């Protein structure tokens, strides 16, 4: 496939790639991918960081194209490629770039606008608008198969959204959050697919057992609203957006299309249903303890810790609404997040969103050894809003943080040392940063 980069940009890319590749080959530098957008183009770049010093020593622009105006979620394949979703209704697609200087960018036309993307081996699973699930062969840069879930589920399914891949990569759990605008196609269900052939083994329609928090005049909002799922041991957990809580069932039964031992809990700080809007999660492992940190996007905010073995809440603390997915660092026994500030507000006819980002780093400290005694501390980062965070490095853990003077427009990348609690370096991003690779 021909390069989609303009010739001048392609030449510049090759020169920079040669320099960066040589630099990487002679050091322990780490390269972290991220999506970005400019006024009339967008794409994928990488920040090159020296973990021993925290210095951002360079960058590579792997894709900068006017055909990639709304790039967002970035995933890395086992073969060292970066794949980004481009949100476009007219030309929905994925872009694929290689970290090797010998490859050029490729694009894959999708059946509809993409939402979530997960990688299993060299296969991409994509949830799309128009009720479409698509399977992409990354190596061949083509859609291998796709289907309309409203036509193959009974009752008809609506709008696949979240994707969870089990640790052994044998199953994918896909959430369907909302009903359709007419209410005829049903969400509030989880599907389980056996990998790699994507054979559906379960369609789990969740209990709609809290009608008092349904939005009566909105046919889309008539159920719990499952979004983010997670499997640990024999527990399948899922966040419930509209119900403002988390639900649990037995994973062994779920895999054979049975709902067994279903229970649900609110994640609000005051125990109310329908107000928390759990929106971001992070697994936490401490000795024999297996848990999930859940961050609320409801107006009251809050962060809670879910015990996956006992299936209950063991800790909760007030924090602002809209924390990003926390990053857990096992060797420090701490989790870190920033507040991009997405707030979900329940109104009479719908749920609306506003954004109020914060300027601090939030740390959940488990070093006491008692998860119920964990503490939350905040560290101011800069005069800019802190809106994205990821971990880099192995020998020495560091955080990479995206900063910006305007909400939802981070343009600076900074390295942060969680041990000394200070910013080590910062550099401008290639454009407005969308997401770090996950």
């Amino acid at each position: 496939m021909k390069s989609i980069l303009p010739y001048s940009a392609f030449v510049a890319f090759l020169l920079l790639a040669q320099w960066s590749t040589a630099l990487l080959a002679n050091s322990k530098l780490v390269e972290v991918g991220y999506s970005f957008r400019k006024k009339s183009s967008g794409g994928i770049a990488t920040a090159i960081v020296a973990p021993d010093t925290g210095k951002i020593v360079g960058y590579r622009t792997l894709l900068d194209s006017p055909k990639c105006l709304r790039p967002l979620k970035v995933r890395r394949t086992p073969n060292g490629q970066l794949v980004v979703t481009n949100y476009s209704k007219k030309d929905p697609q994925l872009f694929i770039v290689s970290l090797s200087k010998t490859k050029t960018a490729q694009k894959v036309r999708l059946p509809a606008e993409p939402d979530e993307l997960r990688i299993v081996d060299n296969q991409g699973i994509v949830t799309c608008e128009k009720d479409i699930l698509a399977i992409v062969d990354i190596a061949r840069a083509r859609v291998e198969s796709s289907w309309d879930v409203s036509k193959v589920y009974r009752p008809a399914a609506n709008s696949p959204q979240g994707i969870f891949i089990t640790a052994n990569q044998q199953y994918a759990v896909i959430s369907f959050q909302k009903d359709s605008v007419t209410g005829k196609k049903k969400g509030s269900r989880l599907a389980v697919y056996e990998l790699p052939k994507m054979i559906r083994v379960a369609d789990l329609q969740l209990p709609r057992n809290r009608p008092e928090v349904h939005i009566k005049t909105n046919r889309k909002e008539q159920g719990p609203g499952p979004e983010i799922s997670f499997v640990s041991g024999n527990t399948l957990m899922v966040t419930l957006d509209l119900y403002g809580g988390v639900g649990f069932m037995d994973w062994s039964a779920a895999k054979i299309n049975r709902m067994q031992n279903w229970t649900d809990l609110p994640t609000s700080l005051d125990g109310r249903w329908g107000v928390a809007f759990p929106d971001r999660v992070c697994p936490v492992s401490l000795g024999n303890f297996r848990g999930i940190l859940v961050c609320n996007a409801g107006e009251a905010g809050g962060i809670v810790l879910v015990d996956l073995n006992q299936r209950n809440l063991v800790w909760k603390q007030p924090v602002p609404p809209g924390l990003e997915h926390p990053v857990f660092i096992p060797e420090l026994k701490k989790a870190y997040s920033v507040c991009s500030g997405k707030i979900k507000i329940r109104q009479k006819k719908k749920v609306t969103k506003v954004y109020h980002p914060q300027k601090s780093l939030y740390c959940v400290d488990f070093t006491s050894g008692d998860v119920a005694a964990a503490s939350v501390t905040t560290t101011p980062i800069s005069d800019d809003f802190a809106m994205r965070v990821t971990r880099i490095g192995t020998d020495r853990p560091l955080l990479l943080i995206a900063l910006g003077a305007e909400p939802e427009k981070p343009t600076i990348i900074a390295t942060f040392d969680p041990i000394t609690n200070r910013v080590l370096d910062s550099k401008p991003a290639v454009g407005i940063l969308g997401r770090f690779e996950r």
Side-chain angles (χ1 to χ4, degrees):
M1 182 177 290
K2 293 182 179 180
S3 169
I4 60 175
L5 293 173
Y7 179 73
S8 59
F10 181 63
V11 172
F13 159 72
L14 284 179
L15 292 174
L16 183 58
Q18 290 172 358
W19 171 81
S20 300
T21 303
L23 196 60
L24 285 164
N26 292 287
S27 67
K28 294 182 179 180
L29 300 181
V30 176
E31 201 168 11
V32 180
Y34 62 91
S35 56
F36 70 87
R37 59 185 171 88
K38 300 178 181 178
K39 185 176 181 180
S40 56
S41 66
I44 309 173
T46 62
I48 303 171
V49 182
D52 55 339
T53 63
K55 292 293 183 182
I56 302 172
V57 300
Y59 71 93
R60 286 203 290 168
T61 302
L62 303 177
L63 168 70
D64 187 354
S65 169
K67 297 181 180 180
C68 188
L69 293 173
R70 296 184 62 202
L72 192 61
K73 296 173 182 176
V74 183
R75 308 289 183 246
R76 185 182 291 229
T77 74
N79 294 335
Q81 295 168 297
L82 294 178
V83 186
V84 64
T85 56
N86 182 51
Y87 285 56
S88 171
K89 294 184 183 297
K90 292 183 179 180
D91 189 18
Q93 56 207 340
L94 297 180
F95 286 89
I96 305 168
V97 298
S98 175
L99 293 172
S100 166
K101 65 179 181 180
T102 61
K103 298 289 182 68
T104 57
Q106 297 174 295
K107 68 175 180 178
V108 179
R109 172 86 182 191
L110 295 170
E113 184 177 17
D115 180 10
E116 184 58 283
L117 164 67
R118 293 294 173 188
I119 304 294
V120 181
D121 291 329
N122 216 34
Q123 174 179 281
I125 305 173
V126 192
T127 55
C128 304
E129 286 195 344
K130 300 181 180 179
D131 309 321
I132 299 294
L133 266 174
I135 307 302
V136 175
D137 185 326
I138 303 297
R140 297 180 180 180
R142 70 184 188 187
V143 174
E144 194 171 77
S145 60
S146 66
W147 57 95
D148 184 338
V149 297
S150 69
K151 296 179 179 179
V152 297
Y153 282 69
R154 293 292 179 270
N158 182 68
S159 190
Q161 188 170 0
I163 305 170
F164 175 79
I165 307 298
T166 58
N168 58 15
Q169 296 199 335
Q170 292 183 0
Y171 295 94
V173 182
I174 298 178
S175 62
F176 301 77
Q177 187 175 347
K178 303 175 187 293
D179 296 345
S180 64
V181 292
T182 63
K184 293 182 179 180
K185 295 185 292 185
K186 300 299 182 183
S188 289
R189 67 213 290 176
L190 299 176
V192 181
Y193 284 85
E194 190 175 285
L195 302 173
K197 295 184 178 181
M198 284 295 287
I199 299 171
R200 193 179 82 207
V201 296
D203 175 17
L204 307 163
Q205 298 175 54
L206 304 187
R208 302 181 182 229
N209 58 339
R210 304 196 182 277
E212 69 277 7
V213 299
H214 295 175
I215 299 179
K216 295 180 181 179
T217 58
N218 188 330
R219 292 183 179 179
K220 295 175 66 175
E221 303 283 12
Q222 297 297 309
E227 188 170 5
I228 305 170
S229 53
F230 192 86
V231 173
S232 176
N234 194 36
T235 297
L236 167 56
M237 187 206 86
V238 61
T239 63
L240 309 174
D241 186 68
L242 188 66
Y243 280 14
V246 291
F248 309 90
M249 69 181 81
D250 290 352
W251 173 236
S252 57
K255 290 186 291 185
I256 55 174
N257 202 31
R258 290 171 47 208
M259 283 193 61
Q260 185 170 292
N261 293 324
W262 170 261
T263 185
D264 55 3
L265 300 166
T267 59
S268 60
L269 297 182
D270 60 7
R272 288 187 297 154
W273 287 100
V275 296
F277 295 101
D279 199 59
R280 299 288 189 264
V281 306
C282 167
V284 171
S285 297
L286 295 161
N288 294 325
F289 177 83
R290 298 292 180 270
I292 297 284
L293 279 172
V294 180
C295 306
N296 294 326
E299 292 180 89
I303 184 170
V304 304
L305 182 63
V306 177
D307 186 328
L308 291 171
N309 294 324
Q310 300 299 318
R311 302 183 185 180
N312 60 6
L313 302 186
V314 294
W315 172 88
K316 59 177 67 175
Q317 284 289 315
V319 296
L323 261 60
E324 281 295 307
H325 293 284
V327 176
F328 179 63
I329 302 180
E331 57 267 45
L332 299 183
K333 297 182 179 179
K334 295 178 180 179
Y336 296 86
S337 183
V338 295
C339 186
S340 61
K342 180 171 73 172
I343 303 174
K344 293 185 177 181
I345 302 171
R346 175 185 287 269
Q347 296 184 330
K348 186 175 181 180
K349 295 183 179 181
K350 61 181 179 179
V351 176
T352 61
K353 300 176 187 177
V354 297
Y355 289 85
H356 292 294
Q358 305 295 319
K359 298 181 178 182
S360 296
L361 181 72
Y362 297 81
C363 172
V364 183
D365 188 338
F366 296 102
T367 54
S368 70
D370 180 3
V371 293
S375 61
V376 176
T377 58
T378 60
T379 301
I381 298 296
S382 74
D383 292 333
D384 292 327
F385 297 110
M387 287 174 276
R388 305 285 183 263
V389 63
T390 191
R391 178 187 172 162
I392 57 174
T394 52
D395 296 335
R396 176 189 181 183
L398 294 176
L399 298 175
L400 207 59
I401 300 174
L403 307 169
E406 299 180 53
E408 285 301 289
K409 292 184 178 180
T411 57
I412 301 293
I413 297 177
T415 53
F416 184 89
D417 185 347
I419 297 176
T420 62
N421 231 29
R422 64 188 181 95
V423 173
L424 300 178
D425 195 15
S426 64
K427 292 286 189 299
V430 172
I432 297 173
L433 189 144
R435 294 286 191 277
F436 289 118
E437 64 173 281
R438 287 184 64 205

